[in-house]
Amino acid sequence: MSNALPLLLRAARGEQVERPPVWMMRQAGRYMKVYRDLRDRHPSFRDRSENPDLSYEISMQPFQAFQPDGVILFSDILTPLPGMGIDFDIIESRGPIIDPPIRSIAQVEALRPLEPASSLAFVGEVLGRLRESVGSEAAVLGFVGAPWTLAAYAVEGKSSKDYAVIKAMAFREPQLMHRLLSHFADSIATYVNYQIDSGAQVVQLFDSWAGQLSPIDYDTFAAPYQKRVIDQVRAKHPETPLILYISGSAGVLERMAATGVDFISLDWSVDMTDGCKRLPHHVGIQGNVDPGLLFGTPEAIRHRIIDTVRKARGRRHILNLGHGILPGTPEENARVFFETGKRVNELMGTVG
């Protein structure tokens, strides 16, 4: 019975598997010509991500091209915000825009609890269709933004280089900050559970900007709310593996593991050997090839993948990049990444 389950799901649950499963963060997107052609016909990101037919089609594009072991929902971490009363737009050249940003207790108190079955029904539809389409050939991954990162966007109103506005709120008005983070944590837990109920077999939490916090502030403003999400999901779906990713996480790896997630996704700034030493053995590791390497030669890509997998031997490991694949990456190099991952056991025997 277990062998009928997708390889990635079996690995994420801690079973012995024949090789590390392989998928890519941001594997559906601008590096693929088929995606760019679709984007030209549908220039609004929210249209592409919130129209279930388009989201499903985009989610399936890399699976049809490369057959990765995981198919991840095409969406955005900000997608649940309108269901809480926070509107946003994503502008191709500027990124996310939230206007007005959240800056007052009145705005926080006006936020609605998330009811994903009504405000995010398109997500549930896409996840269900993905499960039907890929069967046991790949695991269906859902994903969400973690509370600190959602708060960073909501308070800053856009992407930021220094996060001065949200840090000012955290240090000047900590009660307000904690109210906002609590609201996001409970709503995101509800959203994760909805994704699992709809068909997601593994869910990744992106706290992309928590790496901008000092360790002591991570312990105050990020980790407790990650754990609040995880605990609520565990209570309803204890067998669904959860992955946590933070960009620039070298300073907080051990703290990430303490949240109770099943897997830590390493960025490429941490050597795989060091990451394995720093994390408890029961915690799986995902990653962590530098996405910039995919601009290199096929030989360089293969060598780095073999090195990464070799260093992770003896651990639960999901092969991935250390960040999302970059726009402009040659599609043939993405193919090399996937094909090498699938042949890695054979290749390790031929490369010293």
Side-chain angles (χ1 to χ4, degrees):
M1 178 70 73
S2 178
N3 287 336
L5 296 175
L7 173 68
L8 191 151
L9 179 58
R10 289 187 281 124
R13 287 180 171 179
E15 297 181 24
Q16 288 291 114
V17 291
E18 53 271 30
R19 63 169 173 82
V22 55
W23 69 284
M24 241 184 229
M25 286 186 279
R26 210 185 286 149
Q27 66 189 17
R30 288 176 284 175
Y31 75 102
M32 297 188 75
K33 183 179 185 302
V34 66
Y35 174 83
R36 296 194 303 272
D37 291 345
L38 185 148
R39 182 189 61 187
D40 290 342
R41 299 192 303 272
H42 303 277
S44 165
F45 180 89
R46 287 194 61 179
D47 184 30
R48 295 194 298 276
S49 61
E50 298 179 19
N51 177 310
D53 292 329
L54 295 178
S55 174
Y56 167 80
E57 180 180 349
I58 295 167
S59 301
M60 288 293 291
Q61 286 174 347
F63 181 73
Q64 292 161 347
F66 309 118
Q67 291 77 52
D69 295 309
V71 173
I72 189 165
L73 168 75
F74 180 78
S75 185
D76 192 82
I77 62 172
L78 302 186
T79 295
L81 291 186
M84 303 179 221
I86 304 172
D87 201 18
F88 76 96
D89 196 8
I90 295 181
I91 300 173
E92 193 69 35
S93 59
R94 295 176 58 194
I97 301 295
I98 294 173
D99 187 21
I102 301 298
R103 302 282 172 85
S104 71
I105 188 65
Q107 289 174 293
V108 174
E109 290 177 343
L111 295 178
R112 301 189 296 270
L114 187 67
E115 297 180 359
S118 56
S119 63
L120 296 163
F122 54 89
V123 168
E125 178 181 339
V126 174
L127 288 167
R129 289 170 66 180
L130 292 175
R131 277 290 294 276
E132 289 180 9
S133 296
V134 302
S136 62
E137 295 180 63
V140 172
L141 295 113
F143 77 94
V144 297
W148 172 261
T149 292
L150 291 181
Y153 278 113
V155 173
E156 296 279 346
K158 58 184 178 180
S159 298
S160 176
K161 292 183 179 180
D162 55 21
Y163 302 91
V165 180
I166 189 170
K167 288 187 177 182
M169 180 184 288
F171 301 141
R172 291 178 178 176
E173 302 177 273
Q175 290 184 323
L176 171 57
M177 188 79 260
H178 286 297
R179 285 282 298 276
L180 179 59
L181 291 167
S182 295
H183 182 91
F184 281 148
D186 293 339
S187 290
I188 290 303
T190 300
Y191 187 32
V192 175
N193 284 327
Y194 175 72
Q195 290 192 14
I196 296 168
D197 290 337
S198 300
Q201 295 163 293
V202 179
V203 178
Q204 180 156 316
L205 287 74
F206 287 86
D207 213 349
S208 307
W209 307 129
Q212 299 294 321
L213 292 167
S214 68
I216 191 171
D217 295 319
Y218 176 83
D219 288 344
T220 302
F221 298 110
Y225 298 99
Q226 294 164 1
K227 189 173 188 305
R228 185 161 166 169
V229 173
I230 291 160
D231 288 348
Q232 290 183 53
V233 175
R234 285 271 184 267
K236 187 172 181 183
H237 294 287
E239 295 185 357
T240 300
L242 302 175
I243 305 169
L244 176 60
Y245 175 78
I246 296 175
S247 180
S249 59
V252 295
L253 281 187
E254 294 85 353
R255 288 168 160 83
M256 291 170 69
T259 61
V261 289
D262 301 282
F263 269 75
I264 300 296
S265 190
L266 298 178
D267 70 14
W268 73 91
S269 67
V270 180
D271 184 80
M272 181 59 74
T273 299
D274 295 337
C276 289
K277 288 178 180 176
R278 292 177 57 186
L279 292 170
H281 200 271
H282 71 274
V283 176
I285 296 178
Q286 177 175 271
N288 66 334
V289 175
D290 183 346
L293 187 74
L294 298 190
F295 289 98
T297 65
E299 293 75 16
I301 296 167
R302 282 191 283 266
H303 187 274
R304 185 64 58 84
I305 289 172
I306 290 166
D307 179 69
T308 300
V309 172
R310 185 172 280 150
K311 288 175 176 176
R313 270 189 159 175
R315 297 292 295 252
R316 285 192 290 162
H317 180 216
I318 297 171
L319 178 62
N320 206 314
L321 300 176
H323 197 278
I325 185 170
L326 298 170
T329 298
E331 285 189 56
E332 58 269 27
N333 283 359
R335 186 177 305 281
V336 170
F337 181 87
F338 288 118
E339 290 180 349
T340 302
K342 292 185 175 185
R343 296 178 53 219
V344 70
N345 290 341
E346 167 194 343
L347 293 171
M348 281 197 295
T350 63
V351 177

